[in-house]
Amino acid sequence: MKPRQRIIELFSTFIQLADDLFERWVTDFLLQRSIQQALNQIPEVNQAQSSEHFWVLYWYRFWQANPESLATGHLSAYLQEACYWVAQRVMLQLTSKQYKLSDCFQIAIATLPFVLKGYNPSQGASLKTYASIVFGNKLRDALRQQGEANSRTDWGLLRKLSQKQLVESLEAAGFSESAIANYRLAWTCFKTFCAPTETPGTRQLSAPNRAMWANITQLYNTQRLRQVPPIESQATPENLERWLKDCAKQARAYLYPAITSLNINKSESGAGEILDDLPAETEASGLTDLILQEELQERQTQQTQINTVLKASLEKLDSQMQTLLHLYYAQKLTQQQIAAQLEVKQYTVSRRLSSAKEKLLLALAKWSQETLHISLTSPAVRDMSLLLEEWLQERLASESSKDGYQ
């Protein structure tokens, strides 16, 4: 994959895959015009304004002000590479061949709203690093859930459902209160006779046989008059089977929704994309630019200070911890490979790596508390851990061709 260099490319181009491999970068002309206009609005582009970090912050602040603006599209374009590499790593870990790289990429990029909602630029970590973690977690979770759905028959799924999930799925599909009452009672009667307790075969639960349908129908017609309000019409086995299959269909759609990405066609004809519906109001005032520049400068100053603190803390670690960090982050070895090279157990490597990172995190937390006056809440510590991970990757990766530490 050829890296994108120009600011316009970073915020207006998208990955196109062919045969499940990267093929080329495709330009979205609406976004291209938008970023070009934004560049033109700044009379004199200085070094800060021409930097990637400035424009990430620029579009992120626009997104905060209006999540429905083209800023969403610009940030989606910017995070294409991060999403691609996450999808590729997750693909390599899958034992099933059911999902392709394109599937994983689409699932991950569709979680962009979660990325933008959770990101906090004031904590120091870059958007790419934060997005990579969220993309990976969301993708693995989606694949796990989809695998769970695919492994169950309709009857197995109905057995697993809670009443709350059933009702919510029917409400989301627009069913009336009376229809939901019918379906809920049918589902309750089904569970009474078909699967009174959990068994190893619940996932592949078969459809009720004729005798079971007769029992379910009898129970339904007995209980219907005891509902509030009473259900007037009697049901037949055919009615109940149709209703229950509909329940399963709506539950699958609700619990395991299809993934929709920003940059896919809205129709089979391919006439336009979802991005086309985003309003193009991205004009910023001179005051906004000035505030962004000041914020960027403040972040850069903090980053320099953080680098100094972590570099000094890294040098204070014993040689064994420094070696482990170098092997893991600079040479990109797995814990198993490190264990084999050092002739120790894998859990020993894991424990020592965790201990080394804890020492660095403690130093960063102490500095943040004393210098930035940050309270060490759980979210703050999480953001510091993310910042530390990014620093280790960048710092030690840059030294991968050198011996020792500077």
Side-chain angles (χ1 to χ4, degrees):
M1 177 189 296
K2 181 182 178 181
R4 298 172 293 178
Q5 302 294 335
R6 299 170 58 238
I7 293 298
I8 291 180
E9 294 174 337
L10 284 171
F11 293 93
S12 67
T13 58
F14 293 83
I15 286 175
Q16 179 171 297
L17 300 173
D19 297 325
D20 226 31
L21 295 172
F22 174 83
E23 182 181 43
R24 64 191 180 102
W25 290 104
V26 178
T27 300
D28 182 293
F29 294 106
L30 181 62
L31 294 179
Q32 186 183 59
R33 289 193 298 272
S34 173
I35 184 66
Q36 186 62 66
Q37 289 171 0
L39 286 166
N40 293 340
Q41 286 168 13
I42 303 176
E44 297 180 1
V45 179
N46 58 35
Q47 185 176 1
Q49 292 168 331
S50 64
S51 73
E52 174 182 325
H53 299 298
F54 173 83
W55 288 104
V56 169
L57 192 59
Y58 181 94
W59 293 119
Y60 180 74
R61 293 307 183 201
F62 261 113
W63 175 84
Q64 285 185 309
N66 183 7
E68 302 300 321
S69 70
L70 276 181
T72 304
H74 285 299
L75 293 171
S76 177
Y78 175 70
L79 292 173
Q80 292 283 294
E81 284 162 308
C83 185
Y84 178 85
W85 295 120
V86 166
Q88 190 172 79
R89 286 195 297 271
V90 171
M91 271 289 297
L92 294 175
Q93 297 168 359
L94 294 179
T95 55
S96 170
K97 301 300 181 182
Q98 178 182 356
Y99 300 100
K100 300 188 297 184
L101 175 62
S102 55
D103 298 324
C104 292
F105 179 85
Q106 202 77 324
I107 292 171
I109 199 65
T111 64
L112 178 66
F114 294 97
V115 173
L116 299 180
K117 185 176 180 180
Y119 180 57
N120 184 356
S122 66
Q123 297 301 329
S126 71
L127 178 60
K128 277 187 178 178
T129 298
Y130 181 77
S132 294
I133 292 175
V134 175
F135 284 152
N137 290 340
K138 292 289 185 181
L139 174 55
R140 283 184 285 269
D141 190 49
L143 294 177
R144 180 190 58 77
Q145 289 184 8
Q146 194 60 54
E148 169 76 10
N150 293 340
S151 69
R152 289 183 180 271
T153 63
D154 284 348
W155 312 107
L157 177 61
L158 289 173
R159 176 62 189 88
K160 179 179 181 292
L161 280 180
S162 67
Q163 180 171 293
K164 180 174 182 292
Q165 290 172 323
L166 174 68
V167 172
E168 287 178 349
S169 64
L170 295 174
E171 288 175 342
F175 283 73
S176 65
E177 289 186 11
S178 60
I180 292 175
N182 290 347
Y183 281 34
R184 183 176 59 226
L185 180 57
W187 170 79
T188 301
C189 295
F190 159 78
K191 291 188 69 174
T192 300
F193 283 100
C194 289
T197 59
E198 283 286 351
T199 66
T202 297
R203 289 177 181 271
Q204 300 301 319
L205 191 65
S206 301
N209 57 33
R210 182 176 297 182
M212 285 183 179
W213 279 123
N215 290 332
I216 293 170
T217 304
Q218 183 179 4
L219 180 61
Y220 177 92
N221 288 325
T222 300
Q223 294 294 324
R224 64 183 177 82
L225 296 176
R226 300 176 184 175
Q227 305 302 302
V228 181
I231 298 174
E232 297 181 0
S233 301
Q234 287 196 7
T236 66
E238 292 75 21
N239 293 144
L240 293 174
E241 183 175 6
R242 186 174 68 254
W243 292 348
L244 289 169
K245 286 183 176 179
D246 206 5
C247 284
K249 177 183 176 182
Q250 303 307 330
R252 285 188 193 277
Y254 178 73
L255 296 175
Y256 315 109
I259 299 298
T260 302
S261 179
L262 286 169
N263 51 312
I264 61 174
N265 291 332
K266 292 187 293 185
S267 63
E268 292 182 0
S269 64
E273 297 182 346
I274 294 176
L275 276 172
D276 297 337
D277 293 334
L278 299 176
E281 297 177 2
T282 55
E283 183 175 355
S285 66
L287 179 59
T288 300
D289 289 339
L290 181 59
I291 293 173
L292 285 173
Q293 290 177 49
E294 291 177 348
E295 185 174 347
L296 181 62
Q297 183 60 50
E298 182 180 348
R299 286 189 62 197
Q300 290 173 337
T301 300
Q302 287 183 5
Q303 194 64 46
T304 300
Q305 294 172 336
I306 290 171
N307 184 65
T308 301
V309 170
L310 290 177
K311 182 180 177 182
S313 301
L314 179 63
E315 291 171 349
K316 290 179 182 178
L317 296 178
D318 61 47
S319 59
Q320 186 181 64
M321 286 184 172
Q322 292 192 36
T323 297
L324 282 174
L325 292 171
H326 184 77
L327 292 172
Y328 189 71
Y329 288 100
Q331 297 189 23
K332 307 294 185 184
L333 298 183
T334 65
Q335 291 186 14
Q336 291 83 355
Q337 290 171 327
I338 295 173
Q341 182 171 322
L342 300 181
E343 298 181 343
V344 296
K345 299 292 186 182
Q346 187 271 331
Y347 63 79
T348 301
V349 173
S350 177
R351 186 174 64 247
R352 290 175 181 173
L353 276 173
S354 296
S355 179
K357 288 194 284 187
E358 284 174 6
K359 291 179 183 293
L360 296 175
L361 181 60
L362 182 61
L364 179 59
K366 183 179 179 181
W367 175 84
S368 299
Q369 197 173 28
E370 295 175 352
T371 306
L372 303 180
H373 308 293
I374 293 176
S375 299
L376 298 181
T377 60
S378 294
V381 173
R382 179 202 63 198
D383 290 337
M384 289 178 202
S385 298
L386 183 62
L387 176 60
L388 173 61
E389 191 71 18
E390 180 181 36
W391 185 86
L392 285 169
Q393 291 175 3
E394 293 182 354
R395 165 79 180 175
L396 297 183
S398 67
E399 298 177 343
S400 60
S401 60
K402 303 176 183 178
D403 295 324
Y405 298 92
Q406 295 179 358

